[in-house]
Amino acid sequence: MSHSPVETLVKMINQIAANNRAYEDKEAAERVASHIKRFWARKMKEDLVEYLDAGGADLDPIAKEAAEQVKNGRKEATATKQAV
Amino acid sequence: MRVETFNPNKDYGTPARVSETLVTVEIDGVEITVPEGTSVMRAASLANINIPKLCATDNLESFGSCRLCAVQIEGRRGYPASCTTTVDEGMKVTTQNSKLAKLRRNVMELYISDHPLDCLTCPANGNCELQDMAGDVGLRDVRYGYQGENHLDSEKDNSNPYFSFDPSKCIVCSRCVRACEEVQGTFALTIDGRGFDSKVAAGQDEDFMDSECVSCGACVQACPTSTLMEKSIIEMGQPEHSVVTTCAYCGVGCSFKAEMKGDKVVRMVPYKGGDANHGHSCVKGRFAFGYATHKDRIKAPMIRESITEPWQEVSWEEAINFAATRLKDIQSKYGRESVGGITSSRCTNEESYLVQKLVRAAFGNNNTDTCARVCHSPTGYGLKVTMGESAGTQNFDSVMKSDVIMVIGANPTDAHPVFGSLMRRRLREGADLIVADPRHIDLLKTPHLKKAQHLALRPGSNVALVNAIAHVVVTEGLEDRAFVESRCDMESYEKWREFIRDERHSPEAVEATTGVAADKVRQAARTFATAKNGSIYYGLGVTEHSQGSTMVMGIANLAMATGNIGREGVGVNPLRGQNNVQGSCDMGSFPHELPGYQHVADDTARSHFESVWGVKLDNEPGLRIPNMFDSAIAGEFKALYVQGEDIAQSDPDTQHVEKALRSLECLIVQDLFLNETAKFAHVLLPGSSFLEKNGTFTNAERRINRVRKVMPPIAGKEDWEITVDLSNALGYPMHYNHPSEIMDEIASLAPTFTGVNYDRLDELGSIQWPCNDENPVGMPTMHVDDFPIGKGRFSVTEYVATDERTNSRFPLLLTTGRILSQYNVGAQTRRTDNQAWHNEDVLDIHPSDAELRGIKENDWLGITSRAGQTVLRARITDKVLPGVVYTTFHHPGSGANVITTDNSDWATNCPEYKVTAVQVERVSQPSEWQQNFKSFEALQMKLLKGAADTAHSEVEAE
């Protein structure tokens, strides 16, 4: 029954995407990304980005776009931190 | 004289009346003004004129049978009963004169002529109303003698484990019968026979245990003699002092008087001054407190290097240092985020607050979670998104003003029994009932229920159903436009309205999904939307789904669209499973939120905490419980501090949980017993029961109630002291002398708790948060003028079916739940006489599904899901729908969660306990997991006994 941690993360983000599908794709992806930023632990986000960078094969399109946004958000945060 | 004070320790004889019209009467020369409809007896009592009484008590409607309360009223003939006579303006009443005295003595003489004269050896001696009244009226002789026909040889009924029924002492006042009807709403008791043969009978003149009696204790409390008497009183005698405290079971949060002899609890009596329960109780809170002194209690700290080694009893200092050293070593080896902590909703607010503070400040991460994760986390999410506050909107009393009560995925008479009784009272008064549940819950069998609609939906289809109800409301023009336009965000509303109007949400379109006939859904929607006051109550049958959060938002949408928010009688009411689910969430136990629901990424809020706690805090959320398990199995998460929660039994997919626990290098469990989780632990810190500590619980109404210590902690420390010790050993100093100081710190950090402190709680009895400058005494009804987010926000609630589907391999849907006599994982109730009602979990299966499989009552059944297999006995019942099976999870060996899956709510990861596809077949032996469970349990009990034996021999050697 149990999945590897990354399989679980992919299942989770795809499920979040599925539950936001009633919105237009752009808004849906933003909502998914926002949800992950607010609720996922640092390591989970890092693992998601790593999975995305490896191709993100099983990510649903909205989830993939959201993962991109999470990745970019983390980059920006790091850049801001370094600048400070 | 106008009296408005209420003394919860006084019996005013008849219930209070509410009226804007006041009436002034003169009783024994004293003028008193009371609301119209008040009885003469109550008015007199309010003026401290106590009229003798036997059949009257102030939680029951007057009955007028004993005639002891006769009075004389100027201008009226005879001697009317003061309990059944209501006050009239200008009425002049005399309660004492020689005629009345003679009449009362005559009445008492008749009673005593058929009553045993064993007062000195009677259990009620010193606390008997009959004895008191005999004294009051000055009874000195019984002219009739004692030789006539009587009931003195009537046989006792000792079948109930907690109380005895001795009919020889019964005066047939009917208080017990009326309490069962009016207070509890079960109607299990009756007066059988007529005239001299009249007697109290349970059910069809059965033993109490064989009758429909639910052992709530209302009859025992109502009995004015020793006829219905707690066995603990019979054994121990009358208590000598009492302390008011709060029950440690469900989310109703009943107030009780712990009646004591020294430091021993003699009995728990529901406290009339408790605003959640008004003097009522259930079998758990009233009687099932014996676990606190059960022989299984762990009385000394223990440690071990691995889970295959015997436990060693050690000093508190050694255990704390062992735990702290392990945690520090693990963090230095695997990193700051390799450790975390979990609290239970059985912990007090102060304990939950301290554990999350320990994790955030001493561990240096946000890996803190609570068992609310696995029950009501979707409530927190869904209500925050839509209405801006993660809490129910009403107090319990609000239901008495509801015209339609919609109950979704909840079973109040079993899981929240005292509130279930209140709800039944309102239903008897004529409120409509709509139940959306796959099971035919007992609320639908409420005696004298006027109108009920049962939407017996398929498990997993809640969102489709609530969308269909909302579709009817919108398309048939049943919305409360005025409310929506004035109170809600119109952009979100228009978006939702367009979504919900779509034909695909119509009852007809979703009929195949929900299994509920479209016309029934339409009828229910009309009933709810057109009622003056419509309220929604829901439980874990809403939250524990992969769409749990969506469903909570769907409920909020429905309440807002129909204008059922912001006044008494309406609202969205999550029925919290455990006593402090609300509180544990309020206290910042979730990994993304600091106390008071302030996000960890909110720089302003976080810096406030940083300045008070004197430490830098992480601004990213931590791991949730299921993420901790995954991370442990991946080898990244290595140590866990668990206070009061039994994750090995309560969390889904048991084999996954066990694998995670075995992966930990250090598991610290703080609990009363060697629970299932503790069997995987390296450090066992003995906790204290609710009777052994101070603190507060917050119930489902947001009501903060005091928990008061009535006996010293058996293992020497209150739970909050243990967390303080651990924190100090980790190098993060915590200094508190009393939990009141912890609450003061909470009040300084959580905006909704600003006005809460122990002095104010003592003064007011309880407080419903928010309590601050704007609401100094708390807030019974929320969102009266606006929402914390300004306008209410509608959410689009797309129905996304669960991945868990039935097929030819797994054709049935399993749903799990709980019953009246047992509580959650059963760690407490299994160690009480409540076992008499439910000593094993069974599988409920519909007769047609049973017949198809050749299953007979009590057959052993193998239940197989995609996650695992377990074996339970069959109970064939039409309480479940065809295609649905049901079980409870109160006994660890049942392995109910071996078969539940790792599916969870999309927003919060609340497990989907309510939908598991299974196959059921007859088998002849326990499952492999059950066999392994037995051998592991035997090993762990042996390792525990090793600790006890070692400690014992050390004592002997000294």
Side-chain angles (χ1 to χ4, degrees):
Chain A
M1 190 73 213
S2 304
H3 308 277
S4 73
V6 73
E7 282 174 338
T8 302
L9 296 182
V10 171
K11 181 179 173 184
M12 285 168 66
I13 189 172
N14 284 345
Q15 194 186 355
I16 299 166
N19 278 280
N20 281 283
R21 196 155 291 134
Y23 297 93
E24 296 293 328
D25 284 2
K26 185 168 174 289
E27 188 182 352
E30 284 168 6
R31 293 175 76 96
V32 175
S34 164
H35 186 93
I36 284 167
K37 286 175 194 167
R38 278 186 75 77
F39 295 105
W40 282 25
R42 179 184 291 107
K43 182 69 170 56
M44 293 162 71
K45 291 170 191 158
E46 288 170 359
D47 287 351
L48 174 69
V49 171
E50 194 178 308
Y51 181 77
L52 176 74
D53 288 344
D58 291 329
L59 290 174
D60 145 298
I62 290 172
K64 201 165 192 174
E65 173 54 31
E68 289 284 359
Q69 291 180 22
V70 171
K71 181 182 170 181
N72 294 336
R74 296 190 75 71
K75 264 190 204 163
E76 279 167 25
T78 310
T80 311
K81 208 172 177 184
Q82 282 169 349
V84 171
Chain B
M1 180 179 184
R2 185 172 166 192
V3 187
E4 287 177 351
T5 50
F6 168 67
N7 176 359
N9 296 310
K10 179 168 180 166
D11 185 349
Y12 295 89
T14 65
R17 291 287 180 255
V18 179
S19 173
E20 286 180 6
T21 309
L22 297 176
V23 175
T24 299
V25 295
E26 187 185 303
I27 303 175
D28 292 346
V30 178
E31 263 198 4
I32 180 163
T33 303
V34 293
E36 188 176 35
T38 301
S39 72
V40 170
M41 175 181 277
R42 187 178 178 92
S45 183
L46 287 165
N48 280 327
I49 297 165
N50 297 308
I51 301 170
K53 61 184 175 54
L54 275 172
C55 72
T57 185
D58 64 9
N59 69 338
L60 302 174
E61 291 301 324
S62 57
F63 196 55
S65 77
C66 76
R67 311 305 299 171
L68 206 60
C69 70
V71 291
Q72 282 190 305
I73 298 172
E74 196 175 285
R76 294 199 190 182
R77 293 170 59 193
Y79 304 92
S82 62
C83 64
T84 52
T85 306
T86 52
V87 290
D88 280 338
E89 185 62 41
M91 180 185 266
K92 289 188 177 175
V93 181
T94 301
T95 73
Q96 299 286 356
N97 61 30
S98 58
K99 283 181 182 170
L100 289 167
K102 189 176 175 193
L103 190 152
R104 288 175 186 151
R105 254 198 308 276
N106 287 345
V107 170
M108 279 307 296
E109 206 175 347
L110 283 165
Y111 275 122
I112 299 303
S113 70
D114 185 13
H115 193 82
L117 298 177
D118 60 353
C119 287
L120 289 179
T121 53
C122 176
N125 190 17
N127 187 16
C128 172
E129 291 182 45
L130 187 68
Q131 195 178 49
D132 292 346
M133 290 307 109
D136 271 18
V137 304
L139 184 70
R140 300 289 174 262
D141 188 22
V142 175
R143 289 167 293 168
Y144 311 109
Y146 305 99
Q147 308 310 316
E149 195 178 354
N150 58 52
H151 300 84
L152 302 185
D153 294 328
S154 303
E155 202 178 327
K156 274 189 195 173
D157 174 357
N158 277 316
S159 61
N160 187 289
Y162 294 120
F163 60 84
S164 150
F165 174 57
D166 181 355
S168 73
K169 295 184 169 167
C170 182
I171 58 170
V172 202
C173 63
S174 293
R175 273 165 63 162
C176 55
V177 176
R178 290 180 285 138
C180 192
E181 293 175 2
E182 294 175 31
V183 180
Q184 168 56 26
T186 296
F187 291 70
L189 303 182
T190 189
I191 299 291
D192 210 16
R194 301 184 67 179
F196 187 79
D197 294 329
S198 301
K199 63 171 188 175
V200 171
Q204 304 294 313
D205 205 7
E206 300 153 283
D207 282 347
F208 269 76
M209 276 304 272
D210 295 331
S211 75
E212 288 182 327
C213 166
V214 291
S215 204
C216 68
C219 57
V220 182
Q221 196 182 349
C223 181
T225 71
S226 177
T227 308
L228 284 154
M229 178 58 75
E230 295 92 345
K231 288 183 176 174
S232 61
I233 295 283
I234 295 172
E235 280 168 25
M236 298 168 73
Q238 292 289 331
E240 45 82 17
H241 76 277
S242 68
V243 180
V244 174
T245 189
T246 306
C247 179
Y249 284 117
C250 79
V252 177
C254 295
S255 296
F256 277 88
K257 272 168 127 174
E259 295 195 339
M260 311 291 299
K261 253 187 191 317
D263 63 3
K264 289 196 169 45
V265 180
V266 179
R267 69 178 164 190
M268 298 290 284
V269 179
Y271 181 53
K272 199 164 67 174
D275 285 329
N277 59 316
H278 302 298
H280 189 35
S281 60
C282 79
V283 61
K284 294 189 285 284
R286 177 77 151 95
F287 296 117
F289 54 86
Y291 71 88
T293 49
H294 192 273
K295 63 179 175 52
D296 289 352
R297 281 289 299 271
I298 303 296
K299 294 182 179 134
M302 295 191 288
I303 58 171
R304 59 182 176 179
E305 288 295 329
S306 82
I307 67 167
T308 54
E309 287 182 14
W311 285 102
Q312 300 171 50
E313 279 191 9
V314 294
S315 67
W316 275 106
E317 190 181 7
E318 191 175 347
I320 294 289
N321 285 336
F322 181 90
T325 304
R326 283 291 187 97
L327 287 167
K328 281 195 269 194
D329 289 350
I330 285 169
Q331 283 194 296
S332 77
K333 189 173 173 188
Y334 299 102
R336 186 169 51 89
E337 295 179 4
S338 60
V339 303
I342 297 173
T343 47
S344 166
S345 295
R346 290 187 280 269
C347 299
T348 64
N349 284 317
E350 293 75 4
E351 289 157 6
S352 297
Y353 173 83
L354 279 198
V355 171
Q356 63 83 35
K357 180 178 177 181
L358 173 88
V359 171
R360 299 186 203 277
F363 292 3
N365 64 48
N366 287 318
N367 293 332
T368 174
D369 211 349
T370 166
C371 68
R373 169 71 50 213
V374 302
C375 68
H376 265 286
S377 50
T379 290
Y381 181 89
L383 296 186
K384 181 107 177 171
V385 168
T386 49
M387 297 197 284
E389 199 63 88
S390 300
T393 60
Q394 312 296 121
N395 62 7
F396 288 138
D397 288 350
S398 165
V399 78
M400 295 308 288
K401 295 194 174 167
S402 292
D403 300 301
V404 176
I405 302 169
M406 185 182 283
V407 179
I408 311 176
N411 187 8
T413 53
D414 273 41
H416 305 90
V418 168
F419 177 64
S421 289
L422 190 68
M423 201 179 249
R424 279 186 153 165
R425 181 183 287 217
R426 182 60 187 154
L427 293 171
R428 287 197 304 275
E429 288 178 354
D432 275 338
L433 174 67
I434 300 168
V435 170
D437 200 292
R439 296 197 311 140
H440 195 273
I441 60 170
D442 283 351
L443 200 61
L444 288 160
K445 293 194 301 186
T446 294
H448 306 290
L449 174 64
K450 302 287 190 297
K451 283 169 274 181
Q453 300 172 51
H454 182 200
L455 310 177
L457 74 171
R458 291 206 179 94
S461 64
N462 282 333
V463 173
L465 181 71
V466 82
N467 281 349
I469 293 172
H471 175 90
V472 175
V473 170
V474 167
T475 54
E476 295 191 5
L478 303 175
E479 300 150 280
D480 184 341
R481 287 291 301 196
F483 180 88
V484 171
E485 283 167 13
S486 63
R487 298 291 311 277
C488 300
D489 171 63
M490 291 308 286
E491 190 184 335
S492 70
Y493 167 72
E494 293 298 347
K495 197 176 270 189
W496 172 77
R497 191 167 192 274
E498 192 185 330
F499 162 82
I500 210 76
R501 282 178 62 84
D502 195 301
E503 184 55 28
R504 68 195 166 95
H505 299 303
S506 72
E508 291 73 18
V510 300
E511 194 173 300
T513 303
T514 63
V516 183
D519 59 337
K520 280 192 165 189
V521 177
R522 287 194 178 275
Q523 179 58 43
R526 289 166 191 152
T527 303
F528 184 77
T530 56
K532 185 177 165 212
N533 287 333
S535 55
I536 304 174
Y537 293 84
Y538 71 89
L540 306 182
V542 158
T543 55
E544 290 176 345
H545 286 86
S546 64
Q547 324 83 353
S549 292
T550 312
M551 183 59 184
V552 173
M553 293 188 283
I555 287 170
N557 289 341
L558 181 62
M560 290 191 293
T562 53
N564 281 308
I565 291 289
R567 62 183 185 277
E568 286 185 291
V570 301
V572 175
N573 302 276
L575 295 172
R576 311 293 192 149
Q578 304 208 62
N579 48 353
N580 203 34
V581 173
Q582 182 68 55
S584 68
C585 300
D586 301 341
M587 292 301 108
S589 299
F590 287 137
H592 66 286
E593 279 172 339
L594 294 157
Y597 302 99
Q598 301 172 87
H599 200 277
V600 292
D602 178 338
D603 291 340
T604 309
R606 200 179 61 258
S607 67
H608 188 194
F609 281 84
E610 287 174 344
S611 67
V612 173
W613 291 355
V615 67
K616 193 85 183 148
L617 299 174
D618 195 344
N619 66 350
E620 291 238 30
L623 296 167
R624 299 166 174 173
I625 293 172
N627 310 135
M628 290 180 194
F629 295 153
D630 291 342
S631 187
I633 291 169
E636 293 161 354
F637 188 77
K638 291 291 185 181
L640 183 61
Y641 171 40
V642 183
Q643 188 172 120
E645 181 60 2
D646 196 358
I647 44 181
Q649 189 182 337
S650 63
D651 285 37
D653 197 359
T654 304
Q655 293 174 94
H656 183 66
V657 177
E658 289 178 350
K659 191 175 174 189
L661 296 179
R662 285 178 194 276
S663 304
L664 296 172
E665 290 187 9
C666 181
L667 175 59
I668 305 160
V669 170
Q670 186 170 316
D671 207 282
L672 305 181
F673 305 107
L674 184 85
N675 64 15
E676 301 314 303
T677 307
K679 289 170 186 166
F680 297 89
H682 306 89
V683 182
L684 185 46
L685 303 172
S688 46
S689 76
F690 76 114
L691 297 168
E692 299 155 52
K693 59 193 175 191
N694 285 299
T696 55
F697 290 143
T698 306
N699 76 355
E701 314 163 283
R702 297 168 277 106
R703 185 182 303 285
I704 307 162
N705 263 315
R706 278 280 278 117
V707 178
R708 294 184 178 88
K709 182 154 92 173
V710 303
M711 59 168 75
I714 282 178
K717 285 183 190 288
E718 298 183 35
D719 287 279
W720 64 272
E721 294 176 297
I722 302 168
T723 308
V724 165
D725 288 348
L726 183 58
S727 190
N728 289 333
L730 283 166
Y732 178 75
M734 286 189 188
H735 300 293
Y736 304 100
N737 297 306
H738 189 272
S740 64
E741 295 173 6
I742 305 172
M743 181 53 84
D744 292 342
E745 185 175 309
I746 295 165
S748 74
L749 289 164
T752 47
F753 274 68
T754 311
V756 180
N757 59 60
Y758 277 31
D759 287 342
R760 191 170 289 180
L761 283 166
D762 286 343
E763 180 196 334
L764 298 175
S766 63
I767 297 171
Q768 283 182 273
W769 67 256
C771 177
N772 42 31
D773 290 344
E774 289 168 42
N775 309 285
V777 294
M779 186 187 275
T781 308
M782 293 193 92
H783 316 316
V784 173
D785 298 316
D786 57 14
F787 294 93
I789 46 173
K791 303 274 187 183
R793 286 195 199 126
F794 283 81
S795 282
V796 171
T797 50
E798 188 67 67
Y799 170 58
V800 179
T802 173
D803 291 342
E804 186 67 7
R805 308 283 168 87
T806 53
N807 59 20
S808 56
R809 269 184 71 208
F810 305 109
L812 302 171
L813 281 177
L814 168 79
T815 178
T816 63
R818 55 197 78 195
I819 56 146
L820 172 66
S821 58
Q822 296 282 2
Y823 178 70
N824 204 269
V825 293
Q828 295 148 285
T829 45
R830 279 187 280 112
R831 292 180 172 94
T832 70
D833 284 333
N834 279 27
Q835 285 286 84
W837 286 277
H838 183 89
N839 60 7
E840 68 173 307
D841 297 316
V842 298
L843 188 80
D844 285 355
I845 185 166
H846 191 270
S848 62
D849 290 321
E851 190 180 353
L852 196 68
R853 290 164 177 78
I855 293 167
K856 295 189 184 62
E857 187 82 2
N858 289 327
D859 276 355
W860 287 108
L861 302 181
I863 306 126
T864 310
S865 73
R866 293 177 178 95
Q869 191 201 36
T870 198
V871 172
L872 299 170
R873 271 185 219 274
R875 181 167 61 193
I876 299 171
T877 171
D878 58 8
K879 261 189 167 184
V880 290
L881 293 172
V884 176
V885 290
Y886 168 84
T887 190
T888 47
F889 63 101
H890 301 303
H891 295 267
S894 305
N897 280 320
V898 174
I899 39 182
T900 52
T901 70
D902 64 356
N903 290 326
S904 65
D905 172 46
W906 66 271
T908 65
N909 283 139
C910 179
E912 192 169 45
Y913 291 108
K914 303 295 183 185
V915 187
T916 306
V918 296
Q919 177 57 292
V920 172
E921 59 191 347
R922 291 171 64 198
V923 294
S924 57
Q925 61 177 18
S927 71
E928 187 184 339
W929 179 87
Q930 284 170 313
Q931 291 173 40
N932 291 339
F933 170 85
K934 272 205 160 177
S935 56
F936 184 63
E937 185 184 35
L939 170 69
Q940 290 303 321
M941 294 316 290
K942 197 172 151 193
L943 298 176
L944 178 66
K945 190 170 181 300
D949 289 348
T950 309
H952 188 59
S953 58
E954 279 171 6
V955 170
E956 280 182 349
E958 284 169 11

